[in-house]
Amino acid sequence: MQYNTSFWDNWTFESLFDLFSKGPDFSNSKVLKINKETNSYDWTEICTACVQIESLFHLINELVLREKIFYDQKFSAGWNSFESLDSLDGNLLVSVDIPTDEPEVKDSRNEALKLLCATDLMKKHQEENLLGYRENKQSPHDYFSQVVWGAAGNLGRSTFLGAHYVAHPIRASLLEQVPLFKPSTDINSEVKEWIDEERVKVFTSLTPVGRMNNFQLILPPLVTEVIGSSSSLSEIIPAAMETREKYKKFREWIGEYQTALESENPAQISKFKKTLYNVSQDLEKMRKPGELGDTKVGMSYIGLSIPTPKIPDLRKFFGIRSALNKLLLNPKGEKTLLKLLQWFGCEKGEELEKIRKYFI
């Protein structure tokens, strides 16, 4: 088991390469939607630029909080001229050559395919793809193959490595629709989800017109921190590496938490959970009535003045608790997104609204 490591899609790196080399692509891609009512599946359109930017956000988080990021060398031709990642290759970013006929890879891939092909039409198209590939190396349903068969293959490789699979956003959308699919617990992902949930609580306020949690853009805290410290697109990866050094102890803590979970050590697991609980309590105290800042709500046709929480003094915390508090209280991300889009010249109009709406 490779603790606190991940296995990445080459498709994701291709999306990042296109973003850095050509800028955002505002044409549409397709996302697979399982339709159990008709025992089939459909395709829905999604803005490719949103997928590219989501891939960038994933990369920032992974560069800061993973010990190693693996990728399959055999399928890296689509992005291997990505100069921004050259300095990481072989160190943080590690190429592997995993035999596709390795028994563990095959077994995991086949099990994943059974679960991912959740309807009769999906099973039929996968069988036709398999037959076509055997006969002439061609898949009649090529994009279906890219999304479904590609996801299953990567799940097989990640299982072989013992590393968490970080799927391309379009493949990740498919995985989220298959509730029976339960990969091994990845503490890095669980802590990230916990941080995201706590940040929603921090930036959500109660007002006379109800809970103001609609239309709020709340980006991952490391994204706001890294892009906030960059002055151009070319500085994002170097800034992520500087931030990585800053969060070294936190990254090690995640690895230790994963180790405790894998060794089924209840005392150690309880200790790590207690840290997260204590941080939640810090924020709960901040949100209590009387501990908020200005609670005066002004209403107009244009908008509302939301109560501003009183930020706790982080100097009274140390180590992991301090790091978690800082992450939770990083800016929401409106200015961060605008800053990023300004570098691409699409910070206004319909393009801005498409991307902003996607991340709300």
Side-chain angles (χ1 to χ4, degrees), residues 121-157:
L121 184 61
M122 295 178 75
K123 291 182 177 73
K124 179 176 182 290
H125 284 180
Q126 176 55 31
E127 288 171 2
E128 291 171 355
N129 279 340
L130 184 59
L131 181 62
Y133 191 79
R134 283 173 178 167
E135 291 180 346
N136 54 25
K137 301 294 184 183
Q138 295 290 326
S139 298
H141 311 285
D142 56 345
Y143 190 65
F144 177 91
S145 175
Q146 182 178 352
V147 175
V148 181
W149 208 351
N154 283 326
L155 285 164
R157 296 179 185 93

mmCIF file of all heavy atoms in Angstrom, residues 121-157:
data_model
loop_
_atom_site.group_PDB
_atom_site.id
_atom_site.type_symbol
_atom_site.label_atom_id
_atom_site.label_comp_id
_atom_site.label_asym_id
_atom_site.label_seq_id
_atom_site.Cartn_x
_atom_site.Cartn_y
_atom_site.Cartn_z
ATOM 1 N N LEU A 121 -28.036 -1.376 -21.816
ATOM 2 C CA LEU A 121 -27.431 -0.738 -22.994
ATOM 3 C C LEU A 121 -25.932 -0.523 -22.779
ATOM 4 O O LEU A 121 -25.141 -0.702 -23.719
ATOM 5 C CB LEU A 121 -28.123 0.593 -23.297
ATOM 6 C CG LEU A 121 -27.642 1.298 -24.572
ATOM 7 C CD1 LEU A 121 -27.892 0.426 -25.797
ATOM 8 C CD2 LEU A 121 -28.308 2.658 -24.725
ATOM 9 N N MET A 122 -25.532 -0.171 -21.580
ATOM 10 C CA MET A 122 -24.113 -0.002 -21.296
ATOM 11 C C MET A 122 -23.371 -1.334 -21.425
ATOM 12 O O MET A 122 -22.270 -1.392 -21.987
ATOM 13 C CB MET A 122 -23.919 0.592 -19.893
ATOM 14 C CG MET A 122 -24.458 1.999 -19.742
ATOM 15 S SD MET A 122 -24.284 2.662 -18.062
ATOM 16 C CE MET A 122 -22.520 3.031 -18.044
ATOM 17 N N LYS A 123 -23.984 -2.401 -20.922
ATOM 18 C CA LYS A 123 -23.374 -3.726 -21.050
ATOM 19 C C LYS A 123 -23.233 -4.115 -22.522
ATOM 20 O O LYS A 123 -22.194 -4.642 -22.953
ATOM 21 C CB LYS A 123 -24.221 -4.777 -20.315
ATOM 22 C CG LYS A 123 -24.231 -4.653 -18.804
ATOM 23 C CD LYS A 123 -25.063 -5.777 -18.177
ATOM 24 C CE LYS A 123 -25.038 -5.721 -16.653
ATOM 25 N NZ LYS A 123 -25.847 -4.594 -16.141
ATOM 26 N N LYS A 124 -24.276 -3.845 -23.306
ATOM 27 C CA LYS A 124 -24.268 -4.182 -24.730
ATOM 28 C C LYS A 124 -23.159 -3.432 -25.466
ATOM 29 O O LYS A 124 -22.399 -4.010 -26.256
ATOM 30 C CB LYS A 124 -25.632 -3.843 -25.340
ATOM 31 C CG LYS A 124 -25.769 -4.127 -26.839
ATOM 32 C CD LYS A 124 -27.201 -3.841 -27.284
ATOM 33 C CE LYS A 124 -27.389 -4.160 -28.777
ATOM 34 N NZ LYS A 124 -26.667 -3.183 -29.632
ATOM 35 N N HIS A 125 -23.065 -2.135 -25.203
ATOM 36 C CA HIS A 125 -22.051 -1.333 -25.890
ATOM 37 C C HIS A 125 -20.640 -1.708 -25.456
ATOM 38 O O HIS A 125 -19.717 -1.679 -26.268
ATOM 39 C CB HIS A 125 -22.325 0.152 -25.660
ATOM 40 C CG HIS A 125 -23.464 0.668 -26.477
ATOM 41 N ND1 HIS A 125 -23.885 1.987 -26.429
ATOM 42 C CD2 HIS A 125 -24.268 0.041 -27.376
ATOM 43 C CE1 HIS A 125 -24.907 2.135 -27.255
ATOM 44 N NE2 HIS A 125 -25.157 0.975 -27.837
ATOM 45 N N GLN A 126 -20.471 -2.090 -24.207
ATOM 46 C CA GLN A 126 -19.163 -2.535 -23.761
ATOM 47 C C GLN A 126 -18.776 -3.860 -24.431
ATOM 48 O O GLN A 126 -17.625 -4.054 -24.841
ATOM 49 C CB GLN A 126 -19.123 -2.681 -22.236
ATOM 50 C CG GLN A 126 -17.817 -3.235 -21.685
ATOM 51 C CD GLN A 126 -16.597 -2.445 -22.124
ATOM 52 O OE1 GLN A 126 -16.663 -1.240 -22.349
ATOM 53 N NE2 GLN A 126 -15.476 -3.132 -22.260
ATOM 54 N N GLU A 127 -19.744 -4.773 -24.565
ATOM 55 C CA GLU A 127 -19.475 -6.047 -25.253
ATOM 56 C C GLU A 127 -19.097 -5.807 -26.716
ATOM 57 O O GLU A 127 -18.181 -6.450 -27.251
ATOM 58 C CB GLU A 127 -20.707 -6.949 -25.169
ATOM 59 C CG GLU A 127 -20.952 -7.522 -23.778
ATOM 60 C CD GLU A 127 -22.287 -8.231 -23.658
ATOM 61 O OE1 GLU A 127 -23.009 -8.317 -24.689
ATOM 62 O OE2 GLU A 127 -22.611 -8.709 -22.551
ATOM 63 N N GLU A 128 -19.796 -4.865 -27.358
ATOM 64 C CA GLU A 128 -19.490 -4.542 -28.756
ATOM 65 C C GLU A 128 -18.110 -3.905 -28.873
ATOM 66 O O GLU A 128 -17.375 -4.168 -29.834
ATOM 67 C CB GLU A 128 -20.570 -3.619 -29.325
ATOM 68 C CG GLU A 128 -21.918 -4.315 -29.500
ATOM 69 C CD GLU A 128 -23.043 -3.363 -29.856
ATOM 70 O OE1 GLU A 128 -22.796 -2.132 -29.871
ATOM 71 O OE2 GLU A 128 -24.167 -3.833 -30.106
ATOM 72 N N ASN A 129 -17.759 -3.063 -27.902
ATOM 73 C CA ASN A 129 -16.417 -2.469 -27.899
ATOM 74 C C ASN A 129 -15.338 -3.537 -27.734
ATOM 75 O O ASN A 129 -14.307 -3.508 -28.402
ATOM 76 C CB ASN A 129 -16.296 -1.436 -26.775
ATOM 77 C CG ASN A 129 -16.891 -0.099 -27.149
ATOM 78 O OD1 ASN A 129 -17.060 0.206 -28.321
ATOM 79 N ND2 ASN A 129 -17.232 0.711 -26.149
ATOM 80 N N LEU A 130 -15.583 -4.464 -26.830
ATOM 81 C CA LEU A 130 -14.620 -5.532 -26.582
ATOM 82 C C LEU A 130 -14.427 -6.388 -27.832
ATOM 83 O O LEU A 130 -13.291 -6.703 -28.214
ATOM 84 C CB LEU A 130 -15.095 -6.394 -25.411
ATOM 85 C CG LEU A 130 -14.167 -7.522 -24.948
ATOM 86 C CD1 LEU A 130 -12.816 -6.976 -24.529
ATOM 87 C CD2 LEU A 130 -14.808 -8.294 -23.803
ATOM 88 N N LEU A 131 -15.537 -6.747 -28.490
ATOM 89 C CA LEU A 131 -15.471 -7.546 -29.708
ATOM 90 C C LEU A 131 -14.749 -6.784 -30.820
ATOM 91 O O LEU A 131 -13.880 -7.338 -31.524
ATOM 92 C CB LEU A 131 -16.881 -7.918 -30.158
ATOM 93 C CG LEU A 131 -16.989 -8.785 -31.417
ATOM 94 C CD1 LEU A 131 -16.313 -10.136 -31.199
ATOM 95 C CD2 LEU A 131 -18.464 -8.982 -31.802
ATOM 96 N N GLY A 132 -15.091 -5.504 -30.993
ATOM 97 C CA GLY A 132 -14.456 -4.692 -32.031
ATOM 98 C C GLY A 132 -12.964 -4.545 -31.808
ATOM 99 O O GLY A 132 -12.161 -4.595 -32.758
ATOM 100 N N TYR A 133 -12.575 -4.386 -30.556
ATOM 101 C CA TYR A 133 -11.153 -4.223 -30.266
ATOM 102 C C TYR A 133 -10.391 -5.524 -30.533
ATOM 103 O O TYR A 133 -9.268 -5.500 -31.020
ATOM 104 C CB TYR A 133 -10.970 -3.789 -28.811
ATOM 105 C CG TYR A 133 -9.550 -3.349 -28.502
ATOM 106 C CD1 TYR A 133 -9.109 -2.089 -28.876
ATOM 107 C CD2 TYR A 133 -8.664 -4.209 -27.857
ATOM 108 C CE1 TYR A 133 -7.809 -1.689 -28.621
ATOM 109 C CE2 TYR A 133 -7.362 -3.824 -27.596
ATOM 110 C CZ TYR A 133 -6.942 -2.557 -27.974
ATOM 111 O OH TYR A 133 -5.648 -2.179 -27.736
ATOM 112 N N ARG A 134 -11.027 -6.650 -30.221
ATOM 113 C CA ARG A 134 -10.372 -7.934 -30.464
ATOM 114 C C ARG A 134 -10.194 -8.185 -31.962
ATOM 115 O O ARG A 134 -9.189 -8.747 -32.401
ATOM 116 C CB ARG A 134 -11.207 -9.069 -29.856
ATOM 117 C CG ARG A 134 -11.083 -9.197 -28.351
ATOM 118 C CD ARG A 134 -12.068 -10.228 -27.823
ATOM 119 N NE ARG A 134 -11.944 -10.406 -26.377
ATOM 120 C CZ ARG A 134 -12.839 -11.057 -25.641
ATOM 121 N NH1 ARG A 134 -13.927 -11.581 -26.229
ATOM 122 N NH2 ARG A 134 -12.661 -11.188 -24.336
ATOM 123 N N GLU A 135 -11.185 -7.757 -32.754
ATOM 124 C CA GLU A 135 -11.151 -8.053 -34.178
ATOM 125 C C GLU A 135 -10.252 -7.118 -34.967
ATOM 126 O O GLU A 135 -9.498 -7.558 -35.843
ATOM 127 C CB GLU A 135 -12.575 -8.001 -34.741
ATOM 128 C CG GLU A 135 -13.457 -9.145 -34.254
ATOM 129 C CD GLU A 135 -14.849 -9.071 -34.832
ATOM 130 O OE1 GLU A 135 -15.219 -8.004 -35.384
ATOM 131 O OE2 GLU A 135 -15.588 -10.074 -34.729
ATOM 132 N N ASN A 136 -10.334 -5.816 -34.681
ATOM 133 C CA ASN A 136 -9.577 -4.867 -35.511
ATOM 134 C C ASN A 136 -9.004 -3.676 -34.739
ATOM 135 O O ASN A 136 -8.678 -2.653 -35.335
ATOM 136 C CB ASN A 136 -10.463 -4.350 -36.650
ATOM 137 C CG ASN A 136 -11.769 -3.764 -36.142
ATOM 138 O OD1 ASN A 136 -11.857 -3.310 -35.001
ATOM 139 N ND2 ASN A 136 -12.789 -3.773 -36.986
ATOM 140 N N LYS A 137 -8.917 -3.823 -33.414
ATOM 141 C CA LYS A 137 -8.380 -2.753 -32.564
ATOM 142 C C LYS A 137 -9.195 -1.470 -32.655
ATOM 143 O O LYS A 137 -8.680 -0.368 -32.439
ATOM 144 C CB LYS A 137 -6.915 -2.436 -32.929
ATOM 145 C CG LYS A 137 -5.964 -3.617 -32.798
ATOM 146 C CD LYS A 137 -5.804 -4.062 -31.366
ATOM 147 C CE LYS A 137 -4.783 -5.173 -31.229
ATOM 148 N NZ LYS A 137 -4.658 -5.677 -29.846
ATOM 149 N N GLN A 138 -10.485 -1.580 -32.966
ATOM 150 C CA GLN A 138 -11.371 -0.434 -33.065
ATOM 151 C C GLN A 138 -12.583 -0.631 -32.152
ATOM 152 O O GLN A 138 -13.152 -1.717 -32.105
ATOM 153 C CB GLN A 138 -11.859 -0.253 -34.514
ATOM 154 C CG GLN A 138 -10.772 0.085 -35.504
ATOM 155 C CD GLN A 138 -10.212 1.471 -35.311
ATOM 156 O OE1 GLN A 138 -10.945 2.388 -34.919
ATOM 157 N NE2 GLN A 138 -8.935 1.647 -35.588
ATOM 158 N N SER A 139 -12.974 0.442 -31.434
ATOM 159 C CA SER A 139 -14.163 0.404 -30.578
ATOM 160 C C SER A 139 -15.298 1.139 -31.283
ATOM 161 O O SER A 139 -15.164 2.338 -31.574
ATOM 162 C CB SER A 139 -13.882 1.073 -29.226
ATOM 163 O OG SER A 139 -12.863 0.393 -28.532
ATOM 164 N N PRO A 140 -16.401 0.458 -31.592
ATOM 165 C CA PRO A 140 -17.507 1.125 -32.301
ATOM 166 C C PRO A 140 -18.134 2.268 -31.499
ATOM 167 O O PRO A 140 -18.678 3.209 -32.068
ATOM 168 C CB PRO A 140 -18.513 -0.008 -32.542
ATOM 169 C CG PRO A 140 -18.153 -1.078 -31.577
ATOM 170 C CD PRO A 140 -16.686 -0.971 -31.356
ATOM 171 N N HIS A 141 -18.072 2.172 -30.193
ATOM 172 C CA HIS A 141 -18.573 3.250 -29.336
ATOM 173 C C HIS A 141 -17.351 3.868 -28.648
ATOM 174 O O HIS A 141 -17.084 3.628 -27.472
ATOM 175 C CB HIS A 141 -19.574 2.700 -28.316
ATOM 176 C CG HIS A 141 -20.633 1.830 -28.925
ATOM 177 N ND1 HIS A 141 -21.691 2.332 -29.645
ATOM 178 C CD2 HIS A 141 -20.773 0.478 -28.941
ATOM 179 C CE1 HIS A 141 -22.454 1.330 -30.072
ATOM 180 N NE2 HIS A 141 -21.912 0.198 -29.654
ATOM 181 N N ASP A 142 -16.616 4.656 -29.427
ATOM 182 C CA ASP A 142 -15.281 5.062 -28.987
ATOM 183 C C ASP A 142 -15.288 5.992 -27.777
ATOM 184 O O ASP A 142 -14.470 5.840 -26.867
ATOM 185 C CB ASP A 142 -14.492 5.677 -30.138
ATOM 186 C CG ASP A 142 -15.211 6.851 -30.786
ATOM 187 O OD1 ASP A 142 -16.426 7.014 -30.549
ATOM 188 O OD2 ASP A 142 -14.562 7.604 -31.527
ATOM 189 N N TYR A 143 -16.221 6.970 -27.740
ATOM 190 C CA TYR A 143 -16.218 7.887 -26.594
ATOM 191 C C TYR A 143 -16.729 7.177 -25.338
ATOM 192 O O TYR A 143 -16.224 7.402 -24.227
ATOM 193 C CB TYR A 143 -17.069 9.129 -26.886
ATOM 194 C CG TYR A 143 -16.909 10.215 -25.851
ATOM 195 C CD1 TYR A 143 -15.684 10.858 -25.673
ATOM 196 C CD2 TYR A 143 -17.977 10.603 -25.044
ATOM 197 C CE1 TYR A 143 -15.524 11.854 -24.712
ATOM 198 C CE2 TYR A 143 -17.833 11.597 -24.087
ATOM 199 C CZ TYR A 143 -16.602 12.215 -23.923
ATOM 200 O OH TYR A 143 -16.450 13.187 -22.963
ATOM 201 N N PHE A 144 -17.717 6.299 -25.491
ATOM 202 C CA PHE A 144 -18.155 5.454 -24.384
ATOM 203 C C PHE A 144 -16.972 4.660 -23.849
ATOM 204 O O PHE A 144 -16.786 4.530 -22.631
ATOM 205 C CB PHE A 144 -19.258 4.514 -24.868
ATOM 206 C CG PHE A 144 -19.738 3.530 -23.826
ATOM 207 C CD1 PHE A 144 -20.809 3.839 -22.997
ATOM 208 C CD2 PHE A 144 -19.121 2.291 -23.679
ATOM 209 C CE1 PHE A 144 -21.258 2.927 -22.038
ATOM 210 C CE2 PHE A 144 -19.560 1.373 -22.727
ATOM 211 C CZ PHE A 144 -20.627 1.697 -21.908
ATOM 212 N N SER A 145 -16.160 4.126 -24.760
ATOM 213 C CA SER A 145 -14.977 3.364 -24.367
ATOM 214 C C SER A 145 -13.997 4.238 -23.594
ATOM 215 O O SER A 145 -13.447 3.826 -22.569
ATOM 216 C CB SER A 145 -14.294 2.794 -25.614
ATOM 217 O OG SER A 145 -13.090 2.143 -25.277
ATOM 218 N N GLN A 146 -13.792 5.471 -24.086
ATOM 219 C CA GLN A 146 -12.868 6.384 -23.417
ATOM 220 C C GLN A 146 -13.303 6.672 -21.989
ATOM 221 O O GLN A 146 -12.486 6.702 -21.067
ATOM 222 C CB GLN A 146 -12.760 7.695 -24.206
ATOM 223 C CG GLN A 146 -11.780 8.692 -23.594
ATOM 224 C CD GLN A 146 -11.656 9.958 -24.428
ATOM 225 O OE1 GLN A 146 -12.194 10.048 -25.543
ATOM 226 N NE2 GLN A 146 -10.944 10.945 -23.910
ATOM 227 N N VAL A 147 -14.605 6.875 -21.797
ATOM 228 C CA VAL A 147 -15.113 7.220 -20.473
ATOM 229 C C VAL A 147 -15.192 6.001 -19.556
ATOM 230 O O VAL A 147 -14.647 6.007 -18.445
ATOM 231 C CB VAL A 147 -16.507 7.894 -20.585
ATOM 232 C CG1 VAL A 147 -17.095 8.149 -19.196
ATOM 233 C CG2 VAL A 147 -16.402 9.207 -21.358
ATOM 234 N N VAL A 148 -15.842 4.933 -20.021
ATOM 235 C CA VAL A 148 -16.149 3.784 -19.157
ATOM 236 C C VAL A 148 -14.979 2.810 -19.076
ATOM 237 O O VAL A 148 -14.494 2.493 -17.980
ATOM 238 C CB VAL A 148 -17.424 3.063 -19.646
ATOM 239 C CG1 VAL A 148 -17.736 1.886 -18.731
ATOM 240 C CG2 VAL A 148 -18.603 4.020 -19.703
ATOM 241 N N TRP A 149 -14.537 2.345 -20.230
ATOM 242 C CA TRP A 149 -13.439 1.376 -20.246
ATOM 243 C C TRP A 149 -12.159 2.016 -19.712
ATOM 244 O O TRP A 149 -11.386 1.397 -18.990
ATOM 245 C CB TRP A 149 -13.227 0.865 -21.675
ATOM 246 C CG TRP A 149 -12.658 -0.537 -21.750
ATOM 247 C CD1 TRP A 149 -12.172 -1.290 -20.728
ATOM 248 C CD2 TRP A 149 -12.543 -1.318 -22.932
ATOM 249 N NE1 TRP A 149 -11.748 -2.506 -21.195
ATOM 250 C CE2 TRP A 149 -11.976 -2.551 -22.549
ATOM 251 C CE3 TRP A 149 -12.863 -1.111 -24.286
ATOM 252 C CZ2 TRP A 149 -11.702 -3.572 -23.477
ATOM 253 C CZ3 TRP A 149 -12.602 -2.126 -25.191
ATOM 254 C CH2 TRP A 149 -12.031 -3.338 -24.788
ATOM 255 N N GLY A 150 -11.977 3.290 -20.044
ATOM 256 C CA GLY A 150 -10.797 4.015 -19.538
ATOM 257 C C GLY A 150 -10.807 4.140 -18.023
ATOM 258 O O GLY A 150 -9.783 3.957 -17.365
ATOM 259 N N ALA A 151 -11.978 4.435 -17.455
ATOM 260 C CA ALA A 151 -12.088 4.541 -15.997
ATOM 261 C C ALA A 151 -11.799 3.206 -15.337
ATOM 262 O O ALA A 151 -11.072 3.122 -14.338
ATOM 263 C CB ALA A 151 -13.481 5.031 -15.607
ATOM 264 N N ALA A 152 -12.365 2.119 -15.907
ATOM 265 C CA ALA A 152 -12.141 0.791 -15.341
ATOM 266 C C ALA A 152 -10.667 0.405 -15.403
ATOM 267 O O ALA A 152 -10.113 -0.159 -14.448
ATOM 268 C CB ALA A 152 -12.994 -0.237 -16.093
ATOM 269 N N GLY A 153 -10.023 0.710 -16.530
ATOM 270 C CA GLY A 153 -8.595 0.401 -16.659
ATOM 271 C C GLY A 153 -7.758 1.131 -15.635
ATOM 272 O O GLY A 153 -6.829 0.554 -15.034
ATOM 273 N N ASN A 154 -8.070 2.390 -15.397
ATOM 274 C CA ASN A 154 -7.315 3.163 -14.413
ATOM 275 C C ASN A 154 -7.580 2.685 -12.988
ATOM 276 O O ASN A 154 -6.690 2.727 -12.136
ATOM 277 C CB ASN A 154 -7.646 4.648 -14.546
ATOM 278 C CG ASN A 154 -6.938 5.285 -15.725
ATOM 279 O OD1 ASN A 154 -5.819 4.915 -16.065
ATOM 280 N ND2 ASN A 154 -7.590 6.236 -16.372
ATOM 281 N N LEU A 155 -8.792 2.228 -12.743
ATOM 282 C CA LEU A 155 -9.089 1.659 -11.425
ATOM 283 C C LEU A 155 -8.268 0.388 -11.203
ATOM 284 O O LEU A 155 -7.781 0.140 -10.093
ATOM 285 C CB LEU A 155 -10.582 1.368 -11.300
ATOM 286 C CG LEU A 155 -11.469 2.595 -11.088
ATOM 287 C CD1 LEU A 155 -12.924 2.270 -11.362
ATOM 288 C CD2 LEU A 155 -11.305 3.138 -9.670
ATOM 289 N N GLY A 156 -8.099 -0.407 -12.261
ATOM 290 C CA GLY A 156 -7.259 -1.593 -12.151
ATOM 291 C C GLY A 156 -5.815 -1.238 -11.859
ATOM 292 O O GLY A 156 -5.157 -1.863 -11.010
ATOM 293 N N ARG A 157 -5.295 -0.221 -12.521
ATOM 294 C CA ARG A 157 -3.904 0.206 -12.296
ATOM 295 C C ARG A 157 -3.712 0.778 -10.899
ATOM 296 O O ARG A 157 -2.709 0.521 -10.237
ATOM 297 C CB ARG A 157 -3.511 1.241 -13.356
ATOM 298 C CG ARG A 157 -3.502 0.710 -14.781
ATOM 299 C CD ARG A 157 -3.125 1.796 -15.782
ATOM 300 N NE ARG A 157 -3.239 1.325 -17.144
ATOM 301 C CZ ARG A 157 -4.320 1.454 -17.916
ATOM 302 N NH1 ARG A 157 -5.397 2.084 -17.434
ATOM 303 N NH2 ARG A 157 -4.347 0.980 -19.143
#
